[in-house]
Amino acid sequence: MNEVGDRREAARRWDAAENQPISERERALVARAYALFDCFYDQLGEEHELMRKARMLRARKPDEQSQTAPTGNTLGSCVDNMIADQIDNLPEAVMLPEREETAQSAEEMDDVVSFVLYRAGWPGKYQTLMEDAIVTGTGVAQVFWDEELEDGAGMVSVLAWHPEDFYPDPMYEDIQDGRGCFKVTHTTVAWIEEHYPHARGYVTGDAYGEEDAGDFETPEGDERALLIEFWYKRYDAGSRRTFIHMAQFAGHALLFSTETGYGAEGGAYPEGVYAHGQYPFTLYKFRDSWRKPFGKGLIHDYSGTQ
């Protein structure tokens, strides 16, 4: 089921999600999110396919190539050397004081941020981001508050997310200008219902879960589904502030919403998730592409000869 029309027709058959007891405001949020996701999914399809092709070329064995192509181990060696160069220049946190009297505070914040990055395993995450940037063109980092760290006390963490499973607004080069961005996870209905028990019975398998999911096997009686995490902004003209919100969906069912409080133990987040009002993602690009959110990688330069 790879045609856009088939996917949207499947969406119309999600009767279970339509019976979910949510408010009209929440139902409108679901509709808006899926309409936007459909748009991003279609328009970023070609770039995601180029990323997957680049991954394949990176992993190819020498005996799988033509006799006239540059050898894969030579190209792979170039990638490895470039990653090593970036690791040798691993960025460190440096806080600059505004005034002489704040120099001590800036030095203390250096220690705090360095400790946070250490606990988040930053060197390993940075290596993954550089590999993604050099091979696929873009590395995607998410900075977030992980409530499970420090024995439940919580701590800032950094996550390196596959760019093939990230959908920024294709209209903008800077993702912060976009209408939203999506982070997706290929999983199953059973897994989603286990982690979101309040949505049990309303989540069904979907065509998104079947597409680009890889070769993992689905247990008998279960279905593939796509867990969609939607980040979006709300602007308040009165206070001139931007609030950042997050919602999660699967099979057209709502799982969680910071704006309405659905599925959130602490209720709604009226001030948004983060005070800075920005999407918590940073894109590391090997080479910028004009008016496109994703960059181009080293593998793209040689894909035609491979």
Side-chain angles (χ1 to χ4, degrees):
M1 191 182 298
N2 293 319
E3 295 297 326
V4 175
D6 292 339
R7 190 169 65 245
R8 289 174 178 163
E9 179 60 32
R12 299 188 186 100
R13 295 195 295 268
W14 287 331
D15 295 334
E18 292 180 357
N19 294 326
Q20 186 179 17
I22 57 178
S23 67
E24 288 303 315
R25 180 186 177 193
E26 290 165 338
R27 206 169 296 283
L29 175 61
V30 174
R32 173 174 176 259
Y34 272 94
L36 209 55
F37 184 68
D38 267 335
C39 173
F40 291 9
Y41 189 97
D42 295 338
Q43 294 187 39
L44 295 173
E46 183 176 353
E47 293 184 65
H48 280 151
E49 184 58 34
L50 288 174
M51 290 177 179
R52 286 187 283 270
K53 183 178 180 181
R55 297 267 195 205
M56 179 194 71
L57 292 175
R58 165 70 162 152
R60 282 178 76 171
K61 299 176 182 179
D63 58 359
E64 294 176 336
Q65 303 177 115
S66 71
Q67 296 299 314
T68 59
T71 57
N73 45 349
T74 300
L75 185 56
S77 179
C78 290
V79 173
D80 291 334
N81 288 334
M82 295 185 74
I83 294 172
D85 287 341
Q86 294 300 318
I87 295 302
D88 288 341
N89 294 282
L90 182 71
E92 298 180 354
V94 177
M95 302 294 166
L96 300 177
E98 283 188 284
R99 301 179 304 279
E100 184 178 348
E101 55 266 30
T102 62
Q104 180 64 34
S105 297
E107 185 176 341
E108 292 173 354
M109 285 304 301
D110 277 350
D111 290 339
V112 171
V113 176
S114 296
F115 175 75
V116 168
L117 291 175
Y118 167 75
R119 294 304 298 267
W122 174 239
K125 304 288 178 58
Y126 187 71
Q127 180 171 340
T128 299
L129 292 168
M130 292 303 100
E131 165 103 17
D132 287 345
I134 294 165
V135 174
T136 72
T138 307
V140 179
Q142 180 180 6
V143 180
F144 66 104
W145 181 263
D146 191 337
E147 296 180 350
E148 298 181 2
L149 295 181
E150 301 298 309
D151 296 325
M155 172 67 77
V156 176
S157 189
V158 181
L159 181 67
W161 198 255
H162 288 156
E164 298 94 324
D165 292 329
F166 185 66
Y167 295 81
D169 193 330
M171 289 179 58
Y172 299 93
E173 189 171 332
D174 185 348
I175 67 169
Q176 298 300 336
D177 296 331
R179 294 164 287 178
C181 51
F182 298 87
K183 169 186 149 190
V184 305
T185 303
H186 291 271
T187 183
T188 66
V189 172
W191 187 94
I192 293 171
E193 290 185 338
E194 181 179 1
H195 289 78
Y196 301 89
H198 56 277
R200 188 181 302 276
Y202 303 111
V203 179
T204 57
D206 56 34
Y208 287 122
E210 295 293 337
E211 296 179 9
D212 309 322
D215 297 325
F216 76 87
E217 293 187 7
T218 306
E220 186 176 353
D222 201 356
E223 294 180 280
R224 293 187 182 188
L226 194 68
L227 175 61
I228 300 175
E229 187 173 294
F230 176 39
W231 290 87
Y232 60 99
K233 296 179 179 181
R234 297 291 195 195
Y235 179 72
D236 181 69
S239 62
R240 295 186 179 181
R241 289 185 57 193
T242 297
F243 302 105
I244 185 79
H245 284 288
M246 186 270 284
Q248 292 173 312
F249 316 90
H252 245 250
L254 178 63
L255 307 178
F256 180 88
S257 169
T258 63
E259 185 177 12
T260 70
Y262 185 83
E265 293 183 2
Y269 294 64
E271 296 293 312
V273 181
Y274 299 116
H276 52 56
Q278 301 289 301
Y279 301 129
F281 301 96
T282 300
L283 270 55
Y284 294 81
K285 303 178 187 179
F286 179 78
R287 185 170 58 249
D288 285 335
S289 293
W290 188 58
R291 288 187 177 176
K292 291 186 177 181
F294 291 131
K296 295 294 184 184
L298 178 69
I299 303 293
H300 290 93
D301 297 337
Y302 298 98
S303 62
T305 62
Q306 291 292 305

